[in-house]
Amino acid sequence: MIEQDLVEAYFESNGFLVRQIPLTTVGINAKKKLVALPVITVMNPRAVANDTQLDTRLFSADLSKIRSAKVATLGWANSSFSAASLSNDAQLSKFYKLELDATRIKNCFSMDSGWQGSDMLNSLKILVVPALPRGNDRLQKLNLRFEELQLDGVLTLRSIIENLLRQSKPSLSYEGHEVLQALRLVKAYGLSKDPQLEIFPED
């Protein structure tokens, strides 16, 4: 699953220790055709504790405030998400209504991380999602749903890919890490540039 590879590369490249949790069939909802979500546990050696004031919507700048977390990935490969949903808030709302099953989410975060210690007992529950609605009304309703599911944070794949593109260097080799190697090639061939904030328009 390419999204899971991206998520793992994202946390590793930002200094986290990453451990995979074996995928389980617990939480599969045959009636809704929902499958269990892949989960990893991450730990940041440079952070002392999780920041309790983090917003639900997380960005790469927030990573330094995270000590430990369980991260589940709701991606294109394990859900009903489609490219059309990227620009259609109504379709996104239907997508989340189907995919954010309470039992499914609860089960994926209840699995044993394999790490011992108080850090993991207080780990955050983070969900990686394909996209979020652009309209404020739908976004606020979705945020309420995230709170109902007791999620501590939500990351988008766009933020993850954007961060990895910023970090990838065409002059470096990422042998052994296919995702970073692919991003390196994308930049080396000039197919992507770092996102930049343009203050003044060109004359």
Side-chain angles (χ1 to χ4, degrees), residues 63-98:
L63 294 183
S64 62
K65 304 172 186 177
I66 296 173
R67 169 63 178 176
S68 62
K70 288 184 179 179
V71 184
T73 303
L74 178 63
W76 295 52
N78 61 8
S79 73
S80 59
F81 191 79
S82 66
S85 301
L86 285 172
S87 57
N88 189 314
D89 278 4
Q91 286 194 27
L92 265 181
S93 296
K94 291 180 181 178
F95 166 76
Y96 282 114
K97 187 175 182 180
L98 170 66

PDB file of all heavy atoms in Angstrom, residues 63-98:
ATOM      1  N   LEU A  63       4.922  18.184  14.387  1.00  0.00           N
ATOM      2  CA  LEU A  63       5.579  16.920  14.716  1.00  0.00           C
ATOM      3  C   LEU A  63       6.539  17.037  15.890  1.00  0.00           C
ATOM      4  O   LEU A  63       6.696  16.091  16.665  1.00  0.00           O
ATOM      5  CB  LEU A  63       6.330  16.382  13.493  1.00  0.00           C
ATOM      6  CG  LEU A  63       5.466  15.955  12.295  1.00  0.00           C
ATOM      7  CD1 LEU A  63       6.347  15.369  11.192  1.00  0.00           C
ATOM      8  CD2 LEU A  63       4.388  14.963  12.711  1.00  0.00           C
ATOM      9  N   SER A  64       7.187  18.182  16.021  1.00  0.00           N
ATOM     10  CA  SER A  64       8.147  18.363  17.117  1.00  0.00           C
ATOM     11  C   SER A  64       7.463  18.360  18.485  1.00  0.00           C
ATOM     12  O   SER A  64       8.123  18.224  19.517  1.00  0.00           O
ATOM     13  CB  SER A  64       8.913  19.679  16.931  1.00  0.00           C
ATOM     14  OG  SER A  64       8.029  20.787  16.973  1.00  0.00           O
ATOM     15  N   LYS A  65       6.121  18.490  18.507  1.00  0.00           N
ATOM     16  CA  LYS A  65       5.368  18.527  19.759  1.00  0.00           C
ATOM     17  C   LYS A  65       4.786  17.160  20.114  1.00  0.00           C
ATOM     18  O   LYS A  65       4.032  17.036  21.071  1.00  0.00           O
ATOM     19  CB  LYS A  65       4.235  19.549  19.652  1.00  0.00           C
ATOM     20  CG  LYS A  65       4.714  20.956  19.280  1.00  0.00           C
ATOM     21  CD  LYS A  65       3.541  21.868  19.002  1.00  0.00           C
ATOM     22  CE  LYS A  65       3.993  23.237  18.492  1.00  0.00           C
ATOM     23  NZ  LYS A  65       2.855  24.108  18.145  1.00  0.00           N
ATOM     24  N   ILE A  66       5.116  16.162  19.302  1.00  0.00           N
ATOM     25  CA  ILE A  66       4.580  14.813  19.522  1.00  0.00           C
ATOM     26  C   ILE A  66       5.681  13.901  20.049  1.00  0.00           C
ATOM     27  O   ILE A  66       6.746  13.793  19.450  1.00  0.00           O
ATOM     28  CB  ILE A  66       4.011  14.239  18.212  1.00  0.00           C
ATOM     29  CG1 ILE A  66       2.813  15.084  17.748  1.00  0.00           C
ATOM     30  CG2 ILE A  66       3.590  12.782  18.394  1.00  0.00           C
ATOM     31  CD1 ILE A  66       2.297  14.694  16.370  1.00  0.00           C
ATOM     32  N   ARG A  67       5.411  13.242  21.158  1.00  0.00           N
ATOM     33  CA  ARG A  67       6.355  12.272  21.728  1.00  0.00           C
ATOM     34  C   ARG A  67       6.071  10.862  21.185  1.00  0.00           C
ATOM     35  O   ARG A  67       6.961  10.182  20.694  1.00  0.00           O
ATOM     36  CB  ARG A  67       6.245  12.275  23.261  1.00  0.00           C
ATOM     37  CG  ARG A  67       6.968  11.127  23.973  1.00  0.00           C
ATOM     38  CD  ARG A  67       8.451  11.139  23.766  1.00  0.00           C
ATOM     39  NE  ARG A  67       9.094  10.049  24.511  1.00  0.00           N
ATOM     40  CZ  ARG A  67      10.382   9.767  24.449  1.00  0.00           C
ATOM     41  NH1 ARG A  67      11.175  10.477  23.662  1.00  0.00           N
ATOM     42  NH2 ARG A  67      10.887   8.796  25.156  1.00  0.00           N
ATOM     43  N   SER A  68       4.819  10.434  21.271  1.00  0.00           N
ATOM     44  CA  SER A  68       4.476   9.097  20.787  1.00  0.00           C
ATOM     45  C   SER A  68       3.046   9.079  20.270  1.00  0.00           C
ATOM     46  O   SER A  68       2.186   9.837  20.729  1.00  0.00           O
ATOM     47  CB  SER A  68       4.631   8.060  21.906  1.00  0.00           C
ATOM     48  OG  SER A  68       3.742   8.345  22.972  1.00  0.00           O
ATOM     49  N   ALA A  69       2.795   8.195  19.299  1.00  0.00           N
ATOM     50  CA  ALA A  69       1.456   8.124  18.707  1.00  0.00           C
ATOM     51  C   ALA A  69       1.246   6.791  18.006  1.00  0.00           C
ATOM     52  O   ALA A  69       2.199   6.128  17.593  1.00  0.00           O
ATOM     53  CB  ALA A  69       1.255   9.265  17.713  1.00  0.00           C
ATOM     54  N   LYS A  70       0.001   6.397  17.911  1.00  0.00           N
ATOM     55  CA  LYS A  70      -0.418   5.338  17.004  1.00  0.00           C
ATOM     56  C   LYS A  70      -1.020   6.046  15.795  1.00  0.00           C
ATOM     57  O   LYS A  70      -1.841   6.950  15.943  1.00  0.00           O
ATOM     58  CB  LYS A  70      -1.448   4.418  17.655  1.00  0.00           C
ATOM     59  CG  LYS A  70      -0.873   3.502  18.721  1.00  0.00           C
ATOM     60  CD  LYS A  70      -1.941   2.558  19.257  1.00  0.00           C
ATOM     61  CE  LYS A  70      -1.366   1.617  20.296  1.00  0.00           C
ATOM     62  NZ  LYS A  70      -2.398   0.706  20.843  1.00  0.00           N
ATOM     63  N   VAL A  71      -0.600   5.635  14.609  1.00  0.00           N
ATOM     64  CA  VAL A  71      -1.017   6.308  13.379  1.00  0.00           C
ATOM     65  C   VAL A  71      -1.693   5.302  12.454  1.00  0.00           C
ATOM     66  O   VAL A  71      -1.061   4.345  11.999  1.00  0.00           O
ATOM     67  CB  VAL A  71       0.187   6.954  12.658  1.00  0.00           C
ATOM     68  CG1 VAL A  71      -0.290   7.744  11.436  1.00  0.00           C
ATOM     69  CG2 VAL A  71       0.966   7.861  13.616  1.00  0.00           C
ATOM     70  N   ALA A  72      -2.969   5.520  12.175  1.00  0.00           N
ATOM     71  CA  ALA A  72      -3.720   4.667  11.257  1.00  0.00           C
ATOM     72  C   ALA A  72      -3.881   5.392   9.922  1.00  0.00           C
ATOM     73  O   ALA A  72      -4.012   6.622   9.894  1.00  0.00           O
ATOM     74  CB  ALA A  72      -5.091   4.328  11.842  1.00  0.00           C
ATOM     75  N   THR A  73      -3.878   4.633   8.833  1.00  0.00           N
ATOM     76  CA  THR A  73      -3.960   5.233   7.506  1.00  0.00           C
ATOM     77  C   THR A  73      -5.242   4.812   6.786  1.00  0.00           C
ATOM     78  O   THR A  73      -5.460   3.627   6.525  1.00  0.00           O
ATOM     79  CB  THR A  73      -2.753   4.835   6.638  1.00  0.00           C
ATOM     80  OG1 THR A  73      -1.551   5.232   7.310  1.00  0.00           O
ATOM     81  CG2 THR A  73      -2.819   5.512   5.279  1.00  0.00           C
ATOM     82  N   LEU A  74      -6.075   5.806   6.495  1.00  0.00           N
ATOM     83  CA  LEU A  74      -7.266   5.606   5.675  1.00  0.00           C
ATOM     84  C   LEU A  74      -6.917   6.137   4.293  1.00  0.00           C
ATOM     85  O   LEU A  74      -6.902   7.343   4.063  1.00  0.00           O
ATOM     86  CB  LEU A  74      -8.452   6.377   6.262  1.00  0.00           C
ATOM     87  CG  LEU A  74      -9.771   6.310   5.491  1.00  0.00           C
ATOM     88  CD1 LEU A  74     -10.301   4.880   5.447  1.00  0.00           C
ATOM     89  CD2 LEU A  74     -10.810   7.235   6.128  1.00  0.00           C
ATOM     90  N   GLY A  75      -6.577   5.229   3.387  1.00  0.00           N
ATOM     91  CA  GLY A  75      -6.048   5.653   2.094  1.00  0.00           C
ATOM     92  C   GLY A  75      -6.917   5.259   0.920  1.00  0.00           C
ATOM     93  O   GLY A  75      -8.033   4.767   1.074  1.00  0.00           O
ATOM     94  N   TRP A  76      -6.383   5.469  -0.266  1.00  0.00           N
ATOM     95  CA  TRP A  76      -7.094   5.133  -1.495  1.00  0.00           C
ATOM     96  C   TRP A  76      -7.260   3.622  -1.635  1.00  0.00           C
ATOM     97  O   TRP A  76      -8.241   3.141  -2.188  1.00  0.00           O
ATOM     98  CB  TRP A  76      -6.323   5.667  -2.705  1.00  0.00           C
ATOM     99  CG  TRP A  76      -6.219   7.155  -2.805  1.00  0.00           C
ATOM    100  CD1 TRP A  76      -5.792   8.013  -1.845  1.00  0.00           C
ATOM    101  CD2 TRP A  76      -6.534   7.960  -3.956  1.00  0.00           C
ATOM    102  NE1 TRP A  76      -5.814   9.312  -2.310  1.00  0.00           N
ATOM    103  CE2 TRP A  76      -6.252   9.303  -3.613  1.00  0.00           C
ATOM    104  CE3 TRP A  76      -6.994   7.667  -5.237  1.00  0.00           C
ATOM    105  CZ2 TRP A  76      -6.441  10.352  -4.496  1.00  0.00           C
ATOM    106  CZ3 TRP A  76      -7.182   8.727  -6.120  1.00  0.00           C
ATOM    107  CH2 TRP A  76      -6.914  10.049  -5.750  1.00  0.00           C
ATOM    108  N   ALA A  77      -6.272   2.876  -1.152  1.00  0.00           N
ATOM    109  CA  ALA A  77      -6.251   1.435  -1.381  1.00  0.00           C
ATOM    110  C   ALA A  77      -7.159   0.654  -0.443  1.00  0.00           C
ATOM    111  O   ALA A  77      -7.509  -0.488  -0.724  1.00  0.00           O
ATOM    112  CB  ALA A  77      -4.821   0.911  -1.258  1.00  0.00           C
ATOM    113  N   ASN A  78      -7.529   1.231   0.694  1.00  0.00           N
ATOM    114  CA  ASN A  78      -8.342   0.485   1.654  1.00  0.00           C
ATOM    115  C   ASN A  78      -9.678   1.160   1.951  1.00  0.00           C
ATOM    116  O   ASN A  78     -10.258   0.985   3.022  1.00  0.00           O
ATOM    117  CB  ASN A  78      -7.558   0.256   2.958  1.00  0.00           C
ATOM    118  CG  ASN A  78      -7.165   1.551   3.638  1.00  0.00           C
ATOM    119  OD1 ASN A  78      -7.578   2.638   3.242  1.00  0.00           O
ATOM    120  ND2 ASN A  78      -6.348   1.443   4.676  1.00  0.00           N
ATOM    121  N   SER A  79     -10.156   1.958   1.006  1.00  0.00           N
ATOM    122  CA  SER A  79     -11.421   2.661   1.210  1.00  0.00           C
ATOM    123  C   SER A  79     -12.104   2.915  -0.135  1.00  0.00           C
ATOM    124  O   SER A  79     -11.607   2.514  -1.185  1.00  0.00           O
ATOM    125  CB  SER A  79     -11.176   3.999   1.928  1.00  0.00           C
ATOM    126  OG  SER A  79     -10.569   4.935   1.040  1.00  0.00           O
ATOM    127  N   SER A  80     -13.216   3.634  -0.071  1.00  0.00           N
ATOM    128  CA  SER A  80     -13.981   3.947  -1.279  1.00  0.00           C
ATOM    129  C   SER A  80     -13.574   5.285  -1.883  1.00  0.00           C
ATOM    130  O   SER A  80     -14.279   5.809  -2.738  1.00  0.00           O
ATOM    131  CB  SER A  80     -15.483   3.970  -0.942  1.00  0.00           C
ATOM    132  OG  SER A  80     -15.742   4.946   0.082  1.00  0.00           O
ATOM    133  N   PHE A  81     -12.448   5.829  -1.474  1.00  0.00           N
ATOM    134  CA  PHE A  81     -12.024   7.144  -1.953  1.00  0.00           C
ATOM    135  C   PHE A  81     -11.693   7.098  -3.441  1.00  0.00           C
ATOM    136  O   PHE A  81     -11.160   6.114  -3.953  1.00  0.00           O
ATOM    137  CB  PHE A  81     -10.791   7.611  -1.181  1.00  0.00           C
ATOM    138  CG  PHE A  81     -10.443   9.056  -1.417  1.00  0.00           C
ATOM    139  CD1 PHE A  81     -11.134  10.061  -0.784  1.00  0.00           C
ATOM    140  CD2 PHE A  81      -9.428   9.409  -2.299  1.00  0.00           C
ATOM    141  CE1 PHE A  81     -10.822  11.394  -0.989  1.00  0.00           C
ATOM    142  CE2 PHE A  81      -9.107  10.737  -2.521  1.00  0.00           C
ATOM    143  CZ  PHE A  81      -9.807  11.726  -1.860  1.00  0.00           C
ATOM    144  N   SER A  82     -12.021   8.189  -4.131  1.00  0.00           N
ATOM    145  CA  SER A  82     -11.720   8.298  -5.564  1.00  0.00           C
ATOM    146  C   SER A  82     -11.171   9.689  -5.865  1.00  0.00           C
ATOM    147  O   SER A  82     -11.328  10.624  -5.063  1.00  0.00           O
ATOM    148  CB  SER A  82     -12.983   8.065  -6.398  1.00  0.00           C
ATOM    149  OG  SER A  82     -13.928   9.100  -6.175  1.00  0.00           O
ATOM    150  N   ALA A  83     -10.548   9.836  -7.020  1.00  0.00           N
ATOM    151  CA  ALA A  83      -9.951  11.117  -7.398  1.00  0.00           C
ATOM    152  C   ALA A  83     -10.995  12.233  -7.458  1.00  0.00           C
ATOM    153  O   ALA A  83     -10.698  13.394  -7.170  1.00  0.00           O
ATOM    154  CB  ALA A  83      -9.255  10.976  -8.749  1.00  0.00           C
ATOM    155  N   ALA A  84     -12.227  11.881  -7.813  1.00  0.00           N
ATOM    156  CA  ALA A  84     -13.290  12.887  -7.903  1.00  0.00           C
ATOM    157  C   ALA A  84     -13.585  13.539  -6.556  1.00  0.00           C
ATOM    158  O   ALA A  84     -14.029  14.690  -6.495  1.00  0.00           O
ATOM    159  CB  ALA A  84     -14.557  12.250  -8.471  1.00  0.00           C
ATOM    160  N   SER A  85     -13.309  12.814  -5.473  1.00  0.00           N
ATOM    161  CA  SER A  85     -13.586  13.343  -4.130  1.00  0.00           C
ATOM    162  C   SER A  85     -12.649  14.464  -3.725  1.00  0.00           C
ATOM    163  O   SER A  85     -12.942  15.222  -2.791  1.00  0.00           O
ATOM    164  CB  SER A  85     -13.495  12.213  -3.098  1.00  0.00           C
ATOM    165  OG  SER A  85     -14.403  11.182  -3.391  1.00  0.00           O
ATOM    166  N   LEU A  86     -11.511  14.584  -4.413  1.00  0.00           N
ATOM    167  CA  LEU A  86     -10.537  15.616  -4.055  1.00  0.00           C
ATOM    168  C   LEU A  86     -11.092  17.024  -4.220  1.00  0.00           C
ATOM    169  O   LEU A  86     -10.690  17.945  -3.513  1.00  0.00           O
ATOM    170  CB  LEU A  86      -9.269  15.461  -4.900  1.00  0.00           C
ATOM    171  CG  LEU A  86      -8.330  14.315  -4.520  1.00  0.00           C
ATOM    172  CD1 LEU A  86      -7.235  14.166  -5.565  1.00  0.00           C
ATOM    173  CD2 LEU A  86      -7.722  14.557  -3.142  1.00  0.00           C
ATOM    174  N   SER A  87     -11.998  17.208  -5.147  1.00  0.00           N
ATOM    175  CA  SER A  87     -12.527  18.541  -5.419  1.00  0.00           C
ATOM    176  C   SER A  87     -14.031  18.633  -5.210  1.00  0.00           C
ATOM    177  O   SER A  87     -14.668  19.565  -5.675  1.00  0.00           O
ATOM    178  CB  SER A  87     -12.186  18.952  -6.861  1.00  0.00           C
ATOM    179  OG  SER A  87     -12.703  18.001  -7.775  1.00  0.00           O
ATOM    180  N   ASN A  88     -14.596  17.652  -4.500  1.00  0.00           N
ATOM    181  CA  ASN A  88     -16.037  17.628  -4.307  1.00  0.00           C
ATOM    182  C   ASN A  88     -16.359  17.375  -2.833  1.00  0.00           C
ATOM    183  O   ASN A  88     -16.253  16.254  -2.353  1.00  0.00           O
ATOM    184  CB  ASN A  88     -16.652  16.535  -5.193  1.00  0.00           C
ATOM    185  CG  ASN A  88     -18.165  16.596  -5.225  1.00  0.00           C
ATOM    186  OD1 ASN A  88     -18.824  16.726  -4.207  1.00  0.00           O
ATOM    187  ND2 ASN A  88     -18.724  16.495  -6.433  1.00  0.00           N
ATOM    188  N   ASP A  89     -16.729  18.445  -2.125  1.00  0.00           N
ATOM    189  CA  ASP A  89     -17.001  18.333  -0.695  1.00  0.00           C
ATOM    190  C   ASP A  89     -18.174  17.410  -0.391  1.00  0.00           C
ATOM    191  O   ASP A  89     -18.185  16.716   0.629  1.00  0.00           O
ATOM    192  CB  ASP A  89     -17.274  19.717  -0.108  1.00  0.00           C
ATOM    193  CG  ASP A  89     -15.992  20.467   0.201  1.00  0.00           C
ATOM    194  OD1 ASP A  89     -14.907  19.945  -0.119  1.00  0.00           O
ATOM    195  OD2 ASP A  89     -16.074  21.580   0.765  1.00  0.00           O
ATOM    196  N   ALA A  90     -19.173  17.382  -1.271  1.00  0.00           N
ATOM    197  CA  ALA A  90     -20.334  16.519  -1.046  1.00  0.00           C
ATOM    198  C   ALA A  90     -19.913  15.050  -1.086  1.00  0.00           C
ATOM    199  O   ALA A  90     -20.339  14.242  -0.246  1.00  0.00           O
ATOM    200  CB  ALA A  90     -21.403  16.799  -2.099  1.00  0.00           C
ATOM    201  N   GLN A  91     -19.072  14.702  -2.047  1.00  0.00           N
ATOM    202  CA  GLN A  91     -18.581  13.325  -2.135  1.00  0.00           C
ATOM    203  C   GLN A  91     -17.690  12.991  -0.947  1.00  0.00           C
ATOM    204  O   GLN A  91     -17.721  11.865  -0.432  1.00  0.00           O
ATOM    205  CB  GLN A  91     -17.813  13.116  -3.443  1.00  0.00           C
ATOM    206  CG  GLN A  91     -18.708  13.023  -4.661  1.00  0.00           C
ATOM    207  CD  GLN A  91     -17.955  12.489  -5.873  1.00  0.00           C
ATOM    208  OE1 GLN A  91     -16.976  11.760  -5.751  1.00  0.00           O
ATOM    209  NE2 GLN A  91     -18.414  12.863  -7.057  1.00  0.00           N
ATOM    210  N   LEU A  92     -16.894  13.961  -0.497  1.00  0.00           N
ATOM    211  CA  LEU A  92     -16.038  13.728   0.673  1.00  0.00           C
ATOM    212  C   LEU A  92     -16.882  13.440   1.918  1.00  0.00           C
ATOM    213  O   LEU A  92     -16.553  12.569   2.717  1.00  0.00           O
ATOM    214  CB  LEU A  92     -15.156  14.950   0.920  1.00  0.00           C
ATOM    215  CG  LEU A  92     -13.746  14.933   0.335  1.00  0.00           C
ATOM    216  CD1 LEU A  92     -13.014  16.216   0.693  1.00  0.00           C
ATOM    217  CD2 LEU A  92     -12.950  13.729   0.797  1.00  0.00           C
ATOM    218  N   SER A  93     -17.968  14.171   2.073  1.00  0.00           N
ATOM    219  CA  SER A  93     -18.846  13.970   3.227  1.00  0.00           C
ATOM    220  C   SER A  93     -19.444  12.569   3.212  1.00  0.00           C
ATOM    221  O   SER A  93     -19.520  11.895   4.250  1.00  0.00           O
ATOM    222  CB  SER A  93     -19.962  15.020   3.237  1.00  0.00           C
ATOM    223  OG  SER A  93     -19.423  16.314   3.413  1.00  0.00           O
ATOM    224  N   LYS A  94     -19.877  12.106   2.038  1.00  0.00           N
ATOM    225  CA  LYS A  94     -20.411  10.749   1.904  1.00  0.00           C
ATOM    226  C   LYS A  94     -19.328   9.717   2.199  1.00  0.00           C
ATOM    227  O   LYS A  94     -19.580   8.686   2.831  1.00  0.00           O
ATOM    228  CB  LYS A  94     -20.967  10.538   0.495  1.00  0.00           C
ATOM    229  CG  LYS A  94     -22.227  11.335   0.200  1.00  0.00           C
ATOM    230  CD  LYS A  94     -22.717  11.076  -1.224  1.00  0.00           C
ATOM    231  CE  LYS A  94     -23.961  11.892  -1.534  1.00  0.00           C
ATOM    232  NZ  LYS A  94     -24.437  11.693  -2.930  1.00  0.00           N
ATOM    233  N   PHE A  95     -18.121  10.005   1.727  1.00  0.00           N
ATOM    234  CA  PHE A  95     -16.992   9.116   1.962  1.00  0.00           C
ATOM    235  C   PHE A  95     -16.754   8.918   3.452  1.00  0.00           C
ATOM    236  O   PHE A  95     -16.633   7.785   3.943  1.00  0.00           O
ATOM    237  CB  PHE A  95     -15.744   9.696   1.291  1.00  0.00           C
ATOM    238  CG  PHE A  95     -14.447   9.072   1.716  1.00  0.00           C
ATOM    239  CD1 PHE A  95     -14.064   7.822   1.242  1.00  0.00           C
ATOM    240  CD2 PHE A  95     -13.596   9.730   2.592  1.00  0.00           C
ATOM    241  CE1 PHE A  95     -12.864   7.246   1.637  1.00  0.00           C
ATOM    242  CE2 PHE A  95     -12.393   9.170   2.986  1.00  0.00           C
ATOM    243  CZ  PHE A  95     -12.036   7.919   2.505  1.00  0.00           C
ATOM    244  N   TYR A  96     -16.703  10.015   4.202  1.00  0.00           N
ATOM    245  CA  TYR A  96     -16.421   9.909   5.635  1.00  0.00           C
ATOM    246  C   TYR A  96     -17.592   9.312   6.404  1.00  0.00           C
ATOM    247  O   TYR A  96     -17.399   8.621   7.414  1.00  0.00           O
ATOM    248  CB  TYR A  96     -16.045  11.278   6.198  1.00  0.00           C
ATOM    249  CG  TYR A  96     -14.627  11.661   5.861  1.00  0.00           C
ATOM    250  CD1 TYR A  96     -14.350  12.739   5.022  1.00  0.00           C
ATOM    251  CD2 TYR A  96     -13.556  10.933   6.350  1.00  0.00           C
ATOM    252  CE1 TYR A  96     -13.049  13.074   4.689  1.00  0.00           C
ATOM    253  CE2 TYR A  96     -12.253  11.263   6.029  1.00  0.00           C
ATOM    254  CZ  TYR A  96     -12.007  12.331   5.203  1.00  0.00           C
ATOM    255  OH  TYR A  96     -10.711  12.651   4.872  1.00  0.00           O
ATOM    256  N   LYS A  97     -18.801   9.558   5.938  1.00  0.00           N
ATOM    257  CA  LYS A  97     -19.968   8.965   6.594  1.00  0.00           C
ATOM    258  C   LYS A  97     -19.896   7.445   6.531  1.00  0.00           C
ATOM    259  O   LYS A  97     -20.277   6.751   7.476  1.00  0.00           O
ATOM    260  CB  LYS A  97     -21.254   9.468   5.923  1.00  0.00           C
ATOM    261  CG  LYS A  97     -22.525   9.035   6.635  1.00  0.00           C
ATOM    262  CD  LYS A  97     -23.753   9.665   6.005  1.00  0.00           C
ATOM    263  CE  LYS A  97     -25.010   9.267   6.750  1.00  0.00           C
ATOM    264  NZ  LYS A  97     -26.226   9.874   6.136  1.00  0.00           N
ATOM    265  N   LEU A  98     -19.392   6.920   5.411  1.00  0.00           N
ATOM    266  CA  LEU A  98     -19.259   5.475   5.246  1.00  0.00           C
ATOM    267  C   LEU A  98     -18.035   4.930   5.978  1.00  0.00           C
ATOM    268  O   LEU A  98     -18.115   3.918   6.676  1.00  0.00           O
ATOM    269  CB  LEU A  98     -19.155   5.128   3.755  1.00  0.00           C
ATOM    270  CG  LEU A  98     -18.778   3.676   3.414  1.00  0.00           C
ATOM    271  CD1 LEU A  98     -19.882   2.727   3.851  1.00  0.00           C
ATOM    272  CD2 LEU A  98     -18.489   3.540   1.923  1.00  0.00           C
TER     273      LEU A  98
END
